[in-house]
Amino acid sequence: MDEARLLEGLTACQREAVTSTGAPLCILAGPGSGKTRVLTHRIAHRVLTGTADAPHVLALTFTRRAAAELSRRLAALGVRDQVVAGTFHAVAYAQLRRIWADRGRAAPELLERKVRLLARLLPTGGPQAVHPAEVAAEIEWAKARLVTPDDYPAAGAAAGRRPPLPPEQLAAVFRRYEDEKRRRGLLDFDDLLAECAAAIEGDRDVAARQRWRFRHLFVDEFQDVNPAQFRLLEAWRGDRPDLCVVGDPDQAIYAWNGADPTLLAGFAQRYPGSTTVRLVDSFRSTPEILAAAHAVLTGTGRPAGTHLRAHRLSGQAPVVRAHPDGHAEARAVARSLRDRHGPGTPWSHLAVLARTHGQLALVEEALSAASVPYRVRGATPFLDRPEVAAALAELRRAPGRPLDPALVDLDVAARTPRPEDVEAVLGEDEPSDQRSASLLELVRLGREFLAADPAGTTGGFLAWLAATTRRDPPEGPRDAVELATFHAAKGLEWPVVHIVGLEQGFVPIAHARTPAAVDEERRLLYVAVTRAERELHCSWAAERTFGERVSERQPSPWLELLQAPGAATADRPAADTGEAWRARLDAQRRELAACAGRDAGGAATPDHRLVEALRRWRANAARSARVPTSVVLPDSTLAALARALPASRDELLDLPGIGPVKAQRYGEALLGVVADHARRRDA
């Protein structure tokens, strides 16, 4: 590919970012501005013009999937030599294994899960008992921020942390955890960064080799870098200016997990003489969606003139709906998804986002009842897939074997169908395709490992794989509605997005008490809104059930910003229409109170008090039978019961989800709950 073709189709800002001779270089790229395209074209342009050597390029990402996409795009741009692309942890571990081998040192065993060790160090009963995962998360935050056990109490207090144990006690557990690891010769996932940085900082020969190996540094999502990662980046860089970072301060949403967004915000001050290029064009969302997104960020102290310009044609304004309760909201979302699915709009073009995983449970139930296929991000880890586990077991039989020929064998196996696969396909299943895709992904990961460690063995690859894939989200079924939290949705996009549960306590989350935490919540909603390309549907519920308790809810204070009439273009912030919006919400609440049994879609709405009574009965029945509540009766059947108010066994049998067996088993009790509710209502 020649230079003219490489630059063809780029905007003026994108072209500047690709061709700039600035070093260090900071590229500020908002959602939909072509961030990955610019990053890959810049690497390709530098290789093409001879200012970078592909085997000496290190491109750092935050997921292996992002690394794979970057490598794929570079190959399509004609970069034939292997660029090292991977996560900080993956590259660090591959380099550490080479450093240890050169020193004649056996690689330490990697502690894949902190909880196994922490469980032995924590109180097991009484008021001090805590879950090891909570302590592990706090230790991970501390290590990401380069905080030692001795420094934890002060650092945690300054950051507003809410540890599961008193700070001094947690620091003591942290200290014992580190001592126990050293005693056993273990390293955890977070140690990889510190060990690699220390090896470079403390050994001139190691530093020279690493800096010769990685001469051109590129970092994606720089706003998510934490101090531990930045220390390693600086160790790789040394005193050389050849550094390019890409990021967006408006998408800094991981400070709670140790990320330091000031590394991006203060880039120019940290690197005097550096160059900053801003990508100002968005090719993802309609002007109306971008306007709503910009309005959400009002009050976060953003610099003037940072709004993106929409390049999509104008579309419909974001829609905000109120629902009587969480079940009505979930049913309405299911209907909306079915309405939008059709030719040109597969299920995979639709998504439902929520602030927390728990809010998605009702949506899952409603989609199941409506026969809408869906997948939840984080369901089945890649390494737990049967075909992957079997392949890894085969590799473990010869841990000292060179990896390259083993990958050739694996590639052949991936492309060779088995008799059982053919039978399964005839049975209208797709394990053959899934098996092949999984094994080919394993081969790709092996090639990625060999790029960082050309002499790698199967044993080294297995250890590297365990360290670098455990946190990645699964791919899931091909054509399904995606359910995800706001955090999990970052980096993704869909033509149609539904955001549910936009209520106080969720958006912003209740524990966001400081101005900095509230600003991060605003940015998190901004991330969720900007996942939508052409349609954005937002909803909240007037009531939600938490266990046995029904709670009245209030809409998120930011809902008014999502539908402000003044947000007509993406180039200016929305006008303040608070009074009009509050009046509308009050009207919505009055309509809900007097809705005469109709939901947002015009269907009869069940009496929510009867639904709750039926849920309490179901919980007791499930507890007695020691089965999940959905096995007794699904939510859709409870709603049908509350609509129909059956008075006989024959009327029960007319309802969905109740056949002769369940009518015989539960009929008398169900009719009793309905009759008792009617008596209370009429009293």
Side-chain angles (χ1 to χ4, degrees):
M1 181 176 293
D2 59 32
E3 185 174 8
R5 286 186 58 198
L6 186 64
L7 301 179
E8 185 179 353
L10 298 179
T11 66
C13 293
Q14 290 175 334
R15 185 185 292 256
E16 181 185 0
V18 167
T19 62
S20 173
T21 58
L25 176 67
C26 176
I27 302 172
L28 299 178
S33 62
K35 170 178 66 71
T36 304
R37 185 184 191 200
V38 165
L39 181 59
T40 52
H41 277 65
R42 178 167 178 81
I43 295 172
H45 184 265
R46 290 201 54 192
V47 171
L48 179 66
T49 57
T51 60
D53 190 10
H56 295 282
V57 168
L58 172 60
L60 295 159
T61 67
F62 277 81
T63 67
R64 63 179 177 85
R65 190 169 301 156
E69 176 65 12
L70 190 146
S71 297
R72 184 190 67 78
R73 292 200 191 191
L74 286 174
L77 292 174
V79 180
R80 303 184 185 282
D81 293 325
Q82 182 73 50
V83 165
V84 176
T87 66
F88 279 90
H89 292 87
V91 176
Y93 193 37
Q95 292 305 305
L96 277 173
R97 294 187 65 86
R98 178 52 46 206
I99 292 169
W100 291 329
D102 290 344
R103 293 175 175 175
R105 173 188 171 189
E109 183 181 349
L110 192 64
L111 179 66
E112 295 181 26
R113 298 187 64 208
K114 294 180 179 67
V115 294
R116 294 176 181 173
L117 189 56
L118 284 169
R120 305 180 183 186
L121 306 176
L122 292 170
T124 57
Q128 291 296 312
V130 297
H131 196 287
E134 296 178 273
V135 179
E138 203 62 18
I139 290 175
E140 287 174 0
W141 172 84
K143 298 180 82 165
R145 303 289 297 188
L146 303 177
V147 173
T148 66
D150 290 341
D151 295 336
Y152 173 79
R161 303 296 292 180
R162 299 166 62 205
L165 291 170
E168 293 291 348
Q169 188 175 347
L170 193 139
V173 173
F174 186 3
R175 193 177 298 109
R176 291 199 300 273
Y177 168 76
E178 293 295 307
D179 291 341
E180 188 67 12
K181 278 194 307 161
R182 281 191 290 270
R183 188 182 69 80
R184 298 187 183 196
L186 300 174
L187 291 179
D188 65 23
F189 195 64
D190 306 299
D191 292 329
L192 301 178
L193 304 181
E195 286 280 325
C196 192
I200 298 171
E201 293 165 349
D203 189 319
R204 289 185 179 181
D205 290 339
V206 170
R209 287 196 300 271
Q210 294 301 307
R211 291 167 187 167
W212 177 86
R213 178 78 174 86
F214 300 137
R215 304 178 202 174
H216 322 291
L217 303 176
F218 296 81
V219 187
D220 194 11
E221 304 286 8
F222 194 66
Q223 77 279 350
D224 296 335
V225 168
N226 63 44
Q229 292 164 332
F230 186 69
R231 176 192 173 192
L232 178 56
L233 177 66
E234 287 293 274
W236 276 323
R237 188 182 71 87
D239 59 357
R240 300 166 301 167
D242 199 344
L243 170 67
C244 172
V245 306
V246 183
D248 180 13
D250 290 335
Q251 296 186 78
I253 58 174
Y254 291 108
W256 59 273
N257 203 28
D260 185 357
T262 66
L263 294 172
L264 177 62
F267 190 88
Q269 290 72 37
R270 186 177 297 276
Y271 300 106
S274 62
T275 300
T276 297
V277 177
R278 182 182 295 276
L279 305 183
V280 298
D281 301 285
S282 174
F283 301 90
R284 176 186 299 165
S285 303
T286 63
E288 291 78 8
I289 292 172
L290 270 186
H294 292 154
V296 167
L297 292 177
T298 301
T300 58
R302 302 169 79 226
T306 57
H307 288 169
L308 295 168
R309 296 191 302 237
H311 279 248
R312 270 185 174 268
L313 295 176
S314 184
Q316 72 176 47
V319 177
V320 177
R321 294 185 177 90
H323 298 282
D325 55 43
H327 293 274
E329 178 187 46
R331 291 194 303 272
V333 168
R335 287 195 300 273
S336 177
L337 293 170
R338 289 189 67 87
D339 289 345
R340 279 154 183 78
H341 173 250
T345 307
W347 294 116
S348 58
H349 283 193
L350 312 172
V352 182
L353 309 182
R355 175 63 178 85
T356 67
H357 276 294
Q359 292 172 275
L360 294 171
L362 290 180
V363 178
E364 288 188 64
E365 291 183 15
L367 297 190
S368 294
S371 299
V372 174
Y374 68 89
R375 62 180 181 181
V376 182
R377 291 214 148 240
T380 305
F382 176 74
L383 297 186
D384 290 345
R385 295 178 185 175
E387 62 274 14
V388 174
L392 296 180
E394 187 67 27
L395 292 178
R396 287 191 188 95
R397 295 182 181 181
R401 181 188 181 192
L403 180 59
D404 191 58
L407 292 179
V408 173
D409 294 344
L410 191 58
D411 185 80
V412 171
R415 301 176 191 278
T416 304
R418 303 169 301 173
E420 58 265 37
D421 294 329
V422 176
E423 294 171 3
V425 171
L426 293 177
E428 298 184 350
D429 199 355
E430 291 186 316
S432 177
D433 290 344
Q434 179 62 60
R435 171 182 177 271
S436 178
S438 295
L439 294 181
L440 289 175
E441 171 65 4
L442 197 59
V443 172
R444 188 199 65 75
L445 288 168
R447 298 297 178 200
E448 182 181 311
F449 172 70
L450 287 177
D453 184 2
T457 62
T458 57
F461 172 57
L462 290 168
W464 176 88
L465 194 64
T468 59
T469 64
R470 65 185 185 94
R471 296 184 179 182
D472 281 352
E475 294 178 7
R478 291 180 178 178
D479 188 23
V481 175
E482 188 101 40
L483 308 186
T485 64
F486 293 177
H487 282 101
K490 185 170 177 290
L492 304 174
E493 59 188 61
W494 299 271
V496 180
V497 169
H498 290 72
I499 302 179
V500 299
L502 285 165
E503 298 145 24
Q504 289 186 17
F506 288 134
V507 181
I509 202 73
H511 57 70
R513 296 186 175 94
T514 67
V518 172
D519 280 352
E520 182 158 316
E521 288 292 305
R522 280 184 181 267
R523 294 194 295 269
L524 189 55
L525 179 57
Y526 172 81
V527 166
V529 169
T530 54
R531 301 310 94 193
E533 296 175 1
R534 67 171 188 257
E535 288 186 39
L536 176 65
H537 301 264
C538 304
S539 59
W540 65 283
E543 288 184 350
R544 287 198 185 273
T545 302
F546 301 94
E548 299 295 321
R549 179 174 59 86
V550 178
S551 172
E552 184 173 329
R553 309 292 293 171
Q554 296 296 326
S556 166
W558 300 330
L559 263 180
E560 63 186 73
L561 301 172
L562 291 174
Q563 212 180 31
T569 71
D571 289 335
R572 67 176 186 271
D576 182 7
T577 58
E579 291 185 7
W581 177 245
R582 278 187 287 275
R584 180 178 175 183
L585 290 183
D586 289 341
Q588 285 183 323
R589 280 197 176 278
R590 289 193 297 272
E591 290 171 7
L592 289 171
C595 62
R598 313 301 294 180
D599 67 12
T605 301
D607 186 320
H608 71 271
R609 292 183 177 83
L610 176 54
V611 172
E612 291 310 312
L614 289 167
R615 283 207 189 98
R616 287 192 291 272
W617 166 84
R618 181 181 65 176
N620 291 329
R623 194 177 301 114
S624 299
R626 297 182 179 179
V627 298
T629 56
S630 58
V631 172
V632 177
L633 289 175
D635 278 349
S636 56
T637 300
L638 299 188
L641 279 160
R643 285 194 190 96
L645 303 176
S648 67
R649 187 173 181 274
D650 288 341
E651 291 179 2
L652 276 178
L653 288 170
D654 288 337
L655 300 178
I658 298 182
V661 173
K662 290 194 175 181
Q664 176 68 29
R665 181 175 301 168
Y666 303 128
E668 185 176 347
L670 288 170
L671 293 173
V673 173
V674 173
D676 184 62
H677 174 75
R679 284 193 297 271
R680 292 174 182 272
R681 182 192 59 195
D682 296 339

